[in-house]
Amino acid sequence: MLFSLIESSRSALASIIAHGLRSFLTTLGIVIGVASVIAVISVTQGMSSFIGDTFASLGSNSLTIQSYTPFEDQMKGIRARLTPEDMELIEKRAEGIASITPVLFANRASQIKFGSQTAFSRIMGTTYAFQDVSQSYMSLGRFIAQSDNLTRRRIVVIGDKVRENLNMPDNPINEYVDIGGEWFKVVGLMEAKGEIMGQSQDDIVLMPYNTMRSLQGNQARTDIQIQLSLSESAVVEDVTQQLTTLLRNAHDLDSYEDDDFQIQTAEQLMETFDTVINMVTIVIGGIVSISLLVGGIGIMNIMLVSVTERTREIGICKAIGAKRHHILMQFLIEALLLSLLGGLIGLAIGYGLGTLISSSIPSFPAASIPLWSVALALGFSGFVGVLFGILPAAKAANLDPIDALRYE
Amino acid sequence: MALIELNGVTKYYEMGDQVVKALDGIDIDVEKNDYLAFIGSSGSGKSTMLNILGCLDKPTSGQYHLNGKNVESLDPNELSEIRNLEIGFIFQSFNLLPRATALGNVMQPLVYRSIGYRKRKEMAMESLERVGLGDRVDHLPNQLSGGQRQRVAIARALVTHPSILLADEPTGNLDSQTTIEIMQLFDELHAEGHTLIVVTHEDEIAQHCHRVVEMKDGKVFNDSTTNSAAVTS
Ligand SMILES: Nc1ncnc2c1ncn2[C@@H]1O[C@H](COP(=O)(O)OP(=O)(O)O)[C@@H](O)[C@H]1O
Ligand SMILES: [Mg+2]
């Protein structure tokens, strides 16, 4: 068995090389199919491993709670809210929390000006605890202090991207910026964190929570986000459970009603991204596998032609003692090698393409090919080769020696 | 027991509503180390005869015993095995594999015997040297002359050490000088103990053989073993 496998491979390889150009054209369908699979996978996988790294650096022991309004309710004009009272409740009653801070986003256009320069940024009000929860470090100056919050001081801490966008000096401390017509003094510059999914983590302006509240007129409609980090010993699931119970009670939800808030962990966020990326991979992979099938049909077509062309040769081989399985193996292995060859070429092209794509889009993570996708691509192209090689190979093997020898 | 025994062998081809009797009741025995020529006009059934002897084709009716084994009952794979082990075929049109070298062609039958590459090469080289082609082993068939190609084919037939060598008009495509050389080779092979059956329509070739069977319309018309008048010496 192994012997005839080796011998068949030997003669199949000889035949593939003898028809070099034709072999290549035959396998082109497979090349294109595999190349596109690999390109797609390498780009998305590069993205997802990058996202994984980024979230891991965010720390997996932090939680974000935000209000959640189902779409039907939104249509009815109902809006779920998370209030400062909710936060106080959590602060007082929940266990296993290391730090907790409210985050209040600016509800009007988030414009910030410095001199003649204007930029848009994510402006939010929060407390000193944000630094701990978000694992932010200061590059210059200081973070928001408790006293800033109590006295509603007009100060901001900015991310490096904001400084850059506003053309501020390298040291922006003690400069003044204009937000919504009010002057704010810059007291701190945060260390750069980089990007997640092409979105800068450093395009962020923080001011004291109470300052933000006083800037926003309608206190009744305040909807905050709560960010918290867990103490070392706390278990994420337990704390989530506790918070859910607390908030459901506070919001007077009946047992049949859904939560009107969402508790997200960094891990969950990452899983969501992963799910999206996997979906994209699967969908595109599905589309691409159709092209592999088409490639397989191409191989079958050429193999059938090749069997007809080589009818006399097959007759000769049978005349000198080839059995059915010898001929069958030879053609089957030729089809298999053809499509594996296509798979390999496709793999190389696909990787090149993936690298090209990810390097031509700025700030896009580097392409990476997981081993399973190599196995998948080669396995699938091998499968296609065998599947579509069977018919021509069987046709060759079943030829009658005398008829084959007479074939002109 | 004779090496080959044919009893009432027929081969009919149906062409529309007409039946062509390519072989029409053949009874013949061939002994070991015989040197036999089938002669006869074109269409008399010589090739059909040889194809059946070579287990490439099956008779419509009648019995064929090769080495005492009834060939009729064998399936295609078993026939392949017989062709590989017992028979060396030499064709008028050489029938070499066009993309394999002389060496590759001669090695090919041994592949079907599961003989390893090194041993195969050794045996093939020996066989090629036997036919005087030891210096042309790496040539492709289209780089060889007709006579050289036929020598390759003979080497391929010999390499398996078969019981019988069958040749269907082996010199039909060759010039007269080459024909003489090939026939000398056949004479030597016979002297070495091989059994040779040659189909030809040339008298000079038949004269080399020790037994001449003339065919006509699918029947044995004249057999020199039973009719000493046809014997030439
Ligand atoms: N495959 C075939 N189909 C139909 N008729 C055939 C076939 N092979 C041979 N014949 C017929 O059988 C007869 C004998 O042919 P063949 O054995 O080739 O003769 P020879 O070799 O003596 O010239 C011829 O009449 C030929 O036409
Ligand atoms: Mg003939």
Side-chain angles (χ1 to χ4, degrees):
Chain A
M1 185 63 193
L2 182 67
F3 177 85
S4 83
L5 210 71
I6 294 170
E7 290 308 324
S8 307
S9 311
R10 201 199 290 276
S11 61
L13 209 62
S15 153
I16 288 172
I17 293 167
H19 298 113
L21 179 64
R22 180 162 100 181
S23 301
F24 176 71
L25 292 178
T26 303
T27 192
L28 204 57
I30 302 281
V31 170
I32 293 171
V34 170
S36 9
V37 176
I38 293 299
V40 168
I41 289 179
S42 69
V43 168
T44 52
Q45 285 302 307
M47 212 143 84
S48 95
S49 66
F50 173 79
I51 288 169
D53 291 349
T54 313
F55 277 106
S57 75
L58 280 183
S60 59
N61 69 337
S62 66
L63 290 180
T64 302
I65 313 171
Q66 60 194 40
S67 62
Y68 169 72
T69 317
F71 187 67
E72 305 98 80
D73 286 359
Q74 283 182 33
M75 298 300 285
K76 293 183 211 151
I78 300 169
R79 284 226 158 256
R81 292 190 300 120
L82 214 54
T83 61
E85 290 73 37
D86 289 331
M87 196 190 100
E88 273 169 43
L89 184 77
I90 291 168
E91 222 173 346
K92 259 185 242 154
R93 306 267 298 273
E95 281 160 19
I97 292 172
S99 326
I100 181 165
T101 179
V103 176
L104 185 56
F105 284 92
N107 55 8
R108 259 172 279 129
S110 310
Q111 254 191 40
I112 177 166
K113 291 183 195 158
F114 175 70
S116 58
Q117 204 68 26
T118 306
F120 288 86
S121 184
R122 296 203 304 152
I123 303 175
M124 45 209 208
T126 188
T127 66
Y128 72 98
F130 185 87
Q131 184 176 17
D132 185 33
V133 171
S134 68
Q135 311 258 306
S136 305
Y137 300 96
M138 300 313 294
S139 147
L140 287 168
R142 61 174 182 87
F143 200 75
I144 299 167
Q146 213 156 0
S147 60
D148 295 329
N149 202 27
L150 293 171
T151 57
R152 297 179 186 180
R153 203 169 283 159
R154 306 239 156 153
I155 53 127
V156 288
V157 171
I158 61 174
D160 198 54
K161 185 84 182 166
V162 177
R163 184 195 60 75
E164 208 181 299
N165 288 348
L166 289 175
N167 274 342
M168 295 179 83
D170 284 345
N171 183 350
I173 306 300
N174 294 333
E175 302 287 350
Y176 281 84
V177 291
D178 174 337
I179 299 171
E182 310 272 349
W183 289 104
F184 289 81
K185 182 168 148 186
V186 177
V187 297
L189 178 69
M190 288 189 286
E191 231 173 50
K193 275 184 167 175
E195 301 177 344
I196 292 182
M197 299 283 297
Q199 197 182 15
S200 174
Q201 295 280 91
D202 307 313
D203 191 2
I204 175 175
V205 177
L206 304 176
M207 67 173 73
Y209 172 70
N210 284 332
T211 314
M212 179 64 98
R213 282 197 77 175
S214 68
L215 281 181
Q216 295 186 349
N218 192 345
Q219 298 285 321
R221 283 175 51 193
T222 305
D223 180 22
I224 62 168
Q225 244 188 38
I226 301 167
Q227 294 197 0
L228 50 88
S229 62
L230 306 183
S231 56
E232 291 277 325
S233 57
V235 180
V236 179
E237 284 73 29
D238 294 349
V239 176
T240 308
Q241 189 55 49
Q242 210 187 123
L243 293 175
T244 305
T245 314
L246 270 174
L247 286 174
R248 283 188 70 90
N249 283 338
H251 292 192
D252 278 337
L253 292 178
D254 286 319
S255 55
Y256 62 86
E257 286 176 297
D258 289 330
D259 294 346
D260 61 353
F261 52 89
Q262 262 180 341
I263 304 176
Q264 280 188 321
T265 62
E267 232 163 314
Q268 266 178 334
L269 220 56
M270 190 173 92
E271 274 166 22
T272 312
F273 274 115
D274 267 358
T275 313
V276 170
I277 281 168
N278 285 342
M279 289 256 284
V280 170
T281 309
I282 287 166
V283 168
I284 295 180
I287 294 168
V288 159
S289 55
I290 292 171
S291 81
L292 276 184
L293 282 187
V294 174
I297 293 169
I299 287 189
M300 177 163 70
N301 192 16
I302 295 294
M303 289 301 295
L304 282 172
V305 171
S306 161
V307 167
T308 306
E309 268 181 7
R310 280 147 66 183
T311 298
R312 235 185 121 81
E313 269 179 63
I314 296 163
I316 295 169
C317 288
K318 288 209 153 179
I320 60 176
K323 293 182 181 171
R324 276 193 82 241
H325 73 262
H326 291 121
I327 306 288
L328 189 83
M329 282 286 254
Q330 187 189 328
F331 281 88
L332 208 53
I333 289 200
E334 189 168 328
L336 177 71
L337 283 184
L338 262 180
S339 56
L340 279 182
L341 195 75
L344 277 176
I345 298 174
L347 205 66
I349 294 180
Y351 182 63
L353 219 61
T355 311
L356 199 74
I357 292 172
S358 44
S359 66
S360 65
I361 301 175
S363 86
F364 212 78
S368 86
I369 304 187
L371 216 57
W372 61 261
S373 74
V374 174
L376 189 81
L378 291 184
F380 203 79
S381 47
F383 172 73
V384 164
V386 170
L387 186 71
F388 289 98
I390 283 176
L391 184 69
K395 191 185 162 195
N398 289 334
L399 282 174
D400 184 62
I402 197 79
D403 291 342
L405 275 174
R406 279 206 194 98
Y407 186 85
E408 293 297 330
Chain B
M1 183 192 67
L3 178 62
I4 287 173
E5 290 177 17
L6 293 190
N7 293 307
V9 165
T10 65
K11 181 72 185 179
Y12 297 163
Y13 293 106
E14 279 179 40
M15 307 294 285
D17 49 350
Q18 197 183 338
V19 176
V20 178
K21 296 180 173 178
L23 292 180
D24 192 10
I26 304 282
D27 299 297
I28 203 168
D29 287 0
V30 180
E31 297 297 332
K32 212 166 159 35
N33 196 24
D34 215 338
Y35 192 4
L36 184 151
F38 281 109
I39 61 169
S41 56
S42 177
S44 58
K46 305 183 298 293
S47 294
T48 307
M49 181 77 184
L50 212 65
N51 290 339
I52 285 175
L53 291 180
C55 297
L56 279 172
D57 215 350
K58 277 191 161 187
T60 308
S61 67
Q63 305 277 304
Y64 171 21
H65 285 89
L66 175 63
N67 269 330
K69 196 187 285 176
N70 189 353
V71 168
E72 194 188 352
S73 57
L74 303 179
D75 68 21
N77 277 344
E78 289 168 323
L79 288 174
S80 281
E81 195 165 313
I82 295 244
R83 288 195 294 272
N84 188 251
L85 297 176
E86 309 282 357
I87 292 159
F89 230 113
I90 300 155
F91 301 89
Q92 178 175 1
S93 51
F94 320 131
N95 276 339
L96 297 176
L97 297 169
R99 284 182 284 109
T101 60
L103 185 66
N105 266 287
V106 179
M107 280 161 62
Q108 195 63 28
L110 302 175
V111 169
Y112 306 128
R113 277 196 195 179
S114 302
I115 293 173
Y117 180 84
R118 204 167 289 185
K119 178 74 179 156
R120 262 193 344 251
K121 188 169 174 180
E122 193 181 301
M123 290 171 77
M125 284 301 298
E126 200 176 294
S127 190
L128 279 164
E129 269 154 24
R130 172 67 195 83
V131 300
L133 270 183
D135 55 341
R136 292 280 195 283
V137 297
D138 289 328
H139 288 57
L140 290 171
N142 63 13
Q143 296 165 332
L144 294 169
S145 72
Q148 288 168 334
R149 287 185 213 184
Q150 197 58 298
R151 281 169 193 272
V152 174
I154 293 168
R156 182 177 67 188
L158 284 175
V159 76
T160 57
H161 302 296
S163 325
I164 323 160
L165 286 174
L166 301 174
D168 191 354
E169 312 222 16
T171 60
N173 286 353
L174 303 177
D175 60 63
S176 53
Q177 180 54 40
T178 320
T179 299
I180 291 168
E181 287 169 21
I182 295 288
M183 287 321 292
Q184 273 168 357
L185 184 56
F186 278 12
D187 291 348
E188 288 168 29
L189 291 173
H190 175 246
E192 285 168 19
H194 287 92
T195 309
L196 280 100
I197 300 176
V198 183
V199 161
T200 183
H201 59 260
E202 295 170 64
D203 285 341
E204 307 89 80
I205 292 171
Q207 275 164 17
H208 281 263
C209 303
H210 293 191
R211 178 182 173 191
V212 177
V213 175
E214 185 180 355
M215 298 196 54
K216 196 174 182 186
D217 297 332
K219 292 190 170 77
V220 174
F221 179 69
N222 200 343
D223 188 338
S224 63
T225 42
T226 52
N227 180 359
S228 58
V231 177
T232 51
S233 55

